[in-house]
Amino acid sequence: MSAKSCLTPEREIEALRDQIRHHEHRYYVLDDPEISDADFDLLMQQLKKLEAAHPELVTADSPTQRVGGKPREGFPKAKHSSPMLSLDNAYNEEEFRDWARRVYELTGKKKVDFVCELKLDGMSLALTYTGGQLTRGLTRGDGTTGEDVTTNVRTMPTVPLRIDQKKLLGAGLPPDFEVRGEVIMSIKSFLRMNEEREQQGLSRAANPRNAAAGSIRMLDPSTVAERRLDFYSYFLLRDGNTFLPSHFESLEALEKCGFKVNPHRLCTNDLDKVLDFVNRMEAQREKLPYEIDGIVVKVDSSQLWRQLGFTGKAPRWAIAYKYAARSGVTQIEDILVQVGRTGKLTPLAALRPVPIGGTTVKRATLHNQDEIDRLGVKIGDWVLVERGGDVIPKIVKVIEDKDHPRGKRSFEFPTRCPECGGKVVRAEGEADHRCVNAKCPAKLRESLLHFASRGVMNIEGMGESLVNQLADRQLVKDVADIYSLTEEKLLSLERIGKKSAQNLLREIDNSRELPLERVILGLGIRFVGERTAELLAEHFGSIDAFLNASFDELQQVNEVGPRVAEAITEYFSEPRNRELVERLRKAGLKFEGQKKQRGTKLAGKTFVLTGTLPNFSRDQAKKMIEDAGGKVSGSVSKKTDYVVAGNDAGSKLDKAQELKIPIVDEDGLTKLLA
Ligand code: IVH
């Protein structure tokens, strides 16, 4: 009898739930998973199966209850424990120092600690915990009354469904409390959501904030679950009031209990340091994976909060230092059409240049016909343009008032490709117009640039100007022609000398050595990005096995679904594409790879590496372990099977000793692998 089956179903279910909660926290809150997604799914499936067999044991705080639930009719309203207020704004240093001066005056103190946090651009939410369990999630609403969106809140993995007694005690929290914070959608999830909506023929959301706010108020919780919303906590209350002595301690207590608290935070009594934080974060703003619109500065001491009180709708103890708007108003001078690698025609608005957040914006994407219809834009219209994260500037809405009269010219998609005159079609159910000419020069240029780019065949020197000349002079008609370029041909081009021609030929030659996955990626098949190409190469081990795979065989590959499988079969059903592959074979590219048959020696074992090994780099050791079926995790826990310690091993070694986890050195690892 296995150890597991000795447990009562109740115990087994609780143990699984604990494991899942632990891994959810590692993955969603700490960003540091210990197990693969597949292993996580397995645990979840096990739990679902057990719960299905014992429905009487299903509880509202079970991780399985995050997903699903029935669509509901509107949301009931409920009153907040205390008003959810807004913040007063400061737009520059002077206004900020004025606010701080008032704080000093009203408190009669010369030194006051301030906590700086990011002002996340999302939607605020209040979560009620009763007896450590999440019992209610309310939107801000009008500040006094919000909408009860509990079912949707439950789908968000960054919201703990329950916090156990020990954790609450350790963090100094009572069993009944309230957490307030911001629901946000990361830029990545936002882009993915819009891409999917576009494919389904739906309109795009204007920005991550609207997407987050719209998602949390959706009626079908299973759709909310797909949206991957994040919740960052920034307030801890009891009976509507803060109760720990300081705000910074509240943030730390929240973190200890498993809530996600933004790591970019600072506590200081030096106003110059506050301003330094404001400026530093503004410089990093573009690199953050979510959107922020400023910094919130809060007085740290709760006692001073009570002393300072409120003005109208905002507390005196906090201020939002707002960054310059990353939007502006300008006029659409024209709408141009750009042709991409897959032949997709993208309408671009040519704008009267407008400075927005430190750069001059001249173009904004209009995505497709649906977006143009949604906005109702015409050439000559005045529009609100917004820049956000790494998203290309986009048009939020058309402005219409006496100073901004409407434009007159409607935009029509061309029926012929602006690059080659080829036919343009919009397939039924698709949002995009495409040029169907396989030999369209724009497609050629874009595919050459993709093929030569750094993460693909890495042919340095093959940039836009060279590619344009090669395509225009018909020296290269597809990517395989790159391999028949000669010094003589290159020297016939403008701005290229003997030395750069030779360098380029060497780069081209080197690219022949790149592994199979790069070749697969280089073909530019729709939806086949870096990771998919890698999985395909690992699974099939050769181009031949890959190109002859059926629709069903393709779907056997990890992470390949019907959409990708269809794109691949469609690609290889075109004789010209098969011909291209043959010419790449003749050019000497790598068509064989290593079919990854993982070993089983270390199957199911989790390793943690620490310190420097005498003969292997960390990457080498990791690869050896993974090739033998083992896993490598970043941190030591009870689930770690071995810690591999080299020289100068750090705190992970201490932790391993503390948890009595077997520690091996490089020799020990080699023995395990042998
Ligand atoms: S404190 C009374 N902290 O900004 C205190 N708000 O303009 C109000 N926000 O409604 C909230 N990040 O939705 C606070 N770190 C943060 C925030 C934050 C974003 C939002 C919140 C609030 C709005 C006020």
Side-chain angles (χ1 to χ4, degrees):
M1 206 198 268
S2 75
K4 236 191 210 163
S5 53
C6 294
L7 295 174
T8 61
E10 205 165 355
R11 284 257 184 96
E12 200 173 337
I13 284 178
E14 219 19 76
L16 266 171
R17 285 178 187 160
D18 276 347
Q19 265 189 57
I20 292 172
R21 284 183 192 119
H22 167 81
H23 292 302
E24 279 181 337
H25 184 243
R26 303 277 332 175
Y27 185 92
Y28 294 108
V29 179
L30 304 180
D31 244 344
D32 185 16
E34 289 171 350
I35 62 172
S36 68
D37 293 1
D39 287 347
F40 180 82
D41 290 345
L42 218 66
L43 290 174
M44 199 62 138
Q45 276 164 22
Q46 258 173 295
L47 178 59
K48 278 189 188 157
K49 223 162 123 187
L50 275 169
E51 287 186 350
H54 303 280
E56 73 285 0
L57 297 178
V58 178
T59 54
D61 66 359
S62 170
T64 56
Q65 302 305 300
R66 285 195 189 279
V67 202
K70 288 202 184 66
R72 33 188 327 170
E73 310 239 319
F75 296 103
K77 303 244 179 333
K79 242 175 124 91
H80 287 293
S81 60
S82 61
M84 282 184 87
L85 302 165
S86 60
L87 293 169
D88 282 336
N89 297 323
Y91 292 97
N92 51 45
E93 183 175 336
E94 196 187 341
E95 289 178 8
F96 169 71
R97 287 193 188 271
D98 280 348
W99 169 78
R101 193 171 311 121
R102 249 170 294 135
V103 169
Y104 293 125
E105 280 167 13
L106 290 170
T107 56
K109 293 202 179 297
K110 287 207 179 75
K111 274 205 160 117
V112 172
D113 281 332
F114 295 103
V115 177
C116 310
E117 291 164 30
L118 301 187
K119 186 167 184 317
L120 300 159
D121 206 359
M123 183 197 186
S124 51
L125 200 66
L127 310 178
T128 308
Y129 285 80
T130 319
Q133 308 241 4
L134 173 72
T135 45
R136 197 175 71 176
L138 273 189
T139 63
R140 178 173 184 273
D142 63 6
T144 313
T145 310
E147 282 175 310
D148 185 330
V149 288
T150 316
T151 336
N152 289 347
V153 169
R154 287 185 174 285
T155 68
M156 294 166 51
T158 34
V159 172
L161 297 180
R162 66 155 218 189
I163 296 131
D164 64 44
Q165 206 56 37
K166 245 203 317 214
K167 262 197 190 154
L168 287 175
L169 229 57
L173 255 65
D176 297 352
F177 60 94
E178 183 181 335
V179 178
R180 291 184 183 175
E182 201 81 353
V183 179
I184 59 148
M185 188 182 279
S186 70
I187 292 170
K188 202 165 144 198
S189 301
F190 168 70
L191 293 176
R192 197 181 60 185
M193 179 191 94
N194 265 348
E195 198 183 302
E196 281 169 11
R197 287 181 65 83
E198 203 166 74
Q199 270 159 21
Q200 292 159 6
L202 300 170
S203 63
R204 304 171 64 94
N207 53 46
R209 181 186 356 102
N210 289 5
S215 301
I216 199 70
R217 298 185 66 258
M218 282 196 334
L219 294 177
D220 182 358
S222 56
T223 321
V224 185
E226 284 165 18
R227 295 284 172 89
R228 291 258 172 258
L229 297 173
D230 260 337
F231 179 74
Y232 282 95
S233 314
Y234 50 64
F235 272 137
L236 175 58
L237 309 172
R238 186 177 52 196
D239 301 325
N241 292 306
T242 177
F243 59 94
L244 291 183
S246 78
H247 181 59
F248 209 73
E249 281 172 85
S250 294
L251 295 179
E252 284 177 340
L254 284 167
E255 203 165 50
K256 266 195 203 154
C257 284
F259 289 92
K260 194 162 183 168
V261 179
N262 199 284
H264 299 287
R265 56 184 194 257
L266 172 79
C267 184
T268 175
N269 62 16
D270 182 344
L271 291 189
D272 289 336
K273 291 213 172 108
V274 172
L275 289 163
D276 179 54
F277 183 84
V278 169
N279 295 331
R280 234 176 335 114
M281 289 317 302
E282 187 165 23
Q284 283 186 43
R285 188 179 178 189
E286 306 267 326
K287 294 196 194 87
L288 293 171
Y290 39 73
E291 298 204 331
I292 61 169
D293 60 346
I295 298 296
V296 182
V297 185
K298 295 171 185 162
V299 168
D300 189 37
S301 149
S302 317
Q303 198 211 324
L304 295 186
W305 285 19
R306 285 186 282 275
Q307 201 177 331
L308 285 160
F310 304 88
T311 61
K313 275 211 207 120
R316 284 199 193 86
W317 41 261
I319 188 106
Y321 194 125
K322 296 277 284 239
Y323 289 141
R326 288 204 298 181
S327 58
V329 172
T330 188
Q331 197 175 20
I332 298 188
E333 292 180 330
D334 201 355
I335 296 181
L336 315 167
V337 171
Q338 198 178 46
V339 189
R341 171 162 57 89
T342 56
K344 176 184 169 190
L345 267 56
T346 305
L348 287 180
L351 304 169
R352 181 184 286 209
V354 55
I356 301 179
T359 55
T360 304
V361 174
K362 296 186 194 128
R363 297 247 193 281
T365 175
L366 283 162
H367 299 291
N368 54 35
Q369 184 69 55
D370 289 348
E371 179 73 354
I372 292 175
D373 293 345
R374 187 181 74 84
L375 293 163
V377 285
K378 290 194 170 141
I379 298 164
D381 272 341
W382 289 85
V383 286
L384 179 68
V385 182
E386 201 174 78
R387 270 181 64 216
D390 56 1
V391 193
I392 338 165
K394 60 174 171 272
I395 292 172
V396 182
K397 61 174 183 189
V398 174
I399 311 258
E400 188 181 6
D401 55 35
K402 69 178 190 336
D403 300 325
H404 302 104
R406 288 297 310 264
K408 302 232 160 31
R409 253 173 70 209
S410 297
F411 168 78
E412 300 272 339
F413 253 95
T415 50
R416 294 272 159 196
C417 170
E419 289 278 347
C420 69
K423 211 166 117 193
V424 168
V425 295
R426 182 185 186 183
E428 215 178 292
E430 284 211 11
D432 298 334
H433 286 73
R434 279 176 205 285
C435 163
V436 292
N437 173 17
K439 296 222 174 278
C440 173
K443 281 191 203 173
L444 172 62
R445 277 199 311 265
E446 295 298 321
S447 25
L448 291 172
L449 285 170
H450 166 75
F451 188 85
S453 63
R454 183 168 294 172
V456 190
M457 298 307 280
N458 204 14
I459 305 175
E460 203 169 310
M462 208 152 155
E464 219 160 298
S465 121
L466 185 81
V467 160
N468 285 347
Q469 292 193 62
L470 290 172
D472 290 349
R473 301 198 186 190
Q474 305 203 351
L475 285 175
V476 168
K477 297 203 187 71
D478 58 34
V479 294
D481 285 342
I482 293 175
Y483 294 94
S484 33
L485 283 172
T486 58
E487 193 174 318
E488 196 188 352
K489 283 186 192 168
L490 288 173
L491 285 174
S492 74
L493 302 175
E494 279 157 33
R495 297 183 300 275
I496 184 157
K498 205 172 163 72
K499 185 124 195 263
S500 37
Q502 283 169 354
N503 284 345
L504 186 68
L505 288 172
R506 198 172 42 247
E507 288 282 331
I508 293 174
D509 204 27
N510 289 345
S511 76
R512 290 187 166 93
E513 294 311 314
L514 289 174
L516 177 63
E517 62 257 32
R518 299 288 191 104
V519 183
I520 293 178
L521 180 62
L523 295 177
I525 304 170
R526 266 177 100 192
F527 310 127
V528 176
E530 203 176 309
R531 171 137 180 96
T532 311
E534 207 177 295
L535 293 168
L536 288 165
E538 239 185 48
H539 183 93
F540 291 108
S542 74
I543 282 269
D544 292 315
F546 169 50
L547 70 84
N548 291 319
S550 68
F551 182 73
D552 290 338
E553 282 163 352
L554 285 164
Q555 286 197 79
Q556 314 259 304
V557 182
N558 229 348
E559 297 177 30
V560 171
R563 191 181 65 139
V564 182
E566 192 181 321
I568 298 170
T569 36
E570 194 182 288
Y571 181 88
F572 287 120
S573 69
E574 169 66 49
R576 253 187 298 228
N577 290 334
R578 285 185 173 252
E579 215 176 280
L580 173 76
V581 171
E582 283 320 304
R583 293 183 29 245
L584 288 173
R585 188 197 305 272
K586 287 207 187 89
L589 269 61
K590 280 242 170 353
F591 270 35
E592 300 288 327
Q594 279 249 299
K595 206 168 162 161
K596 216 168 186 173
Q597 276 294 332
R598 288 181 174 222
T600 49
K601 195 112 204 162
L602 301 181
K605 300 281 180 241
T606 303
F607 287 73
V608 171
L609 304 170
T610 176
T612 320
L613 299 176
N615 297 303
F616 301 127
S617 71
R618 197 168 271 235
D619 281 345
Q620 281 168 330
K622 182 167 184 272
K623 189 169 179 306
M624 290 186 318
I625 294 169
E626 286 175 347
D627 285 348
K631 271 175 280 190
V632 176
S633 156
S635 55
V636 182
S637 76
K638 277 186 280 181
K639 310 243 160 52
T640 312
D641 293 290
Y642 295 98
V643 167
V644 183
N647 293 331
D648 301 323
S651 60
K652 290 179 191 169
L653 184 59
D654 302 337
K655 181 95 187 270
Q657 280 160 345
E658 190 187 305
L659 295 177
K660 302 204 169 44
I661 287 163
I663 298 160
V664 293
D665 57 6
E666 188 178 279
D667 276 352
L669 174 64
T670 324
K671 277 192 197 117
L672 285 171
L673 287 162

